Amino acid sequence: MNDDRCCSSSGGTLLAFLAGGLVGAGLALLYAPVSGREARERIGGLAGDLRRKTEEWTGDVKQKVEGFIDEERSVIKAAYDAGREAMAREKARFENPNPE
């Protein structure tokens, strides 16, 4: 089996790209000619930015998933109701095969 399924979707690819960029930015800060204190402050700022962006992204994804679930729920309910109506019609037809 192929284990590349985790990053096959566009969301996984985007997440991998962002993670690679963050690792690269962190390494650049660590090897930059600045004091340790300044590097830690920069890394802390990057971490805060990442946390805010992640919270925004997860909020957007949550809203989209909830919308999708609501749409699918209404489709399933309509199909269920249509099935019940069809069953009732067929039941009535078999109970009274010769309506006059």
Side-chain angles (χ1 to χ4, degrees):
M1 291 196 125
N2 191 353
D3 288 332
D4 292 335
R5 288 176 280 153
C6 70
C7 298
S8 63
S9 69
S10 61
T13 303
L14 178 63
L15 186 60
F17 179 76
L18 290 175
L22 290 173
V23 168
L27 288 173
L29 285 174
L30 290 174
Y31 286 104
V34 294
S35 69
R37 179 182 211 177
E38 190 175 340
R40 286 189 298 273
E41 288 173 0
R42 287 184 185 180
I43 291 172
L46 285 174
D49 290 343
L50 175 63
R51 183 177 53 237
R52 282 189 294 279
K53 289 179 183 179
T54 303
E55 289 171 355
E56 291 172 8
W57 184 74
T58 54
D60 292 342
V61 169
K62 182 179 177 184
Q63 288 176 346
K64 288 179 183 179
V65 168
E66 288 173 350
F68 176 76
I69 289 172
D70 289 340
E71 289 175 13
E72 293 302 312
R73 185 177 290 139
S74 65
V75 168
I76 291 171
K77 183 173 179 352
Y80 176 78
D81 292 341
R84 287 186 61 92
E85 289 173 12
M87 183 182 73
R89 281 193 307 269
E90 291 300 312
K91 183 178 177 183
R93 191 178 79 160
F94 282 112
E95 287 176 353
N96 190 5
N98 295 323
E100 293 179 27

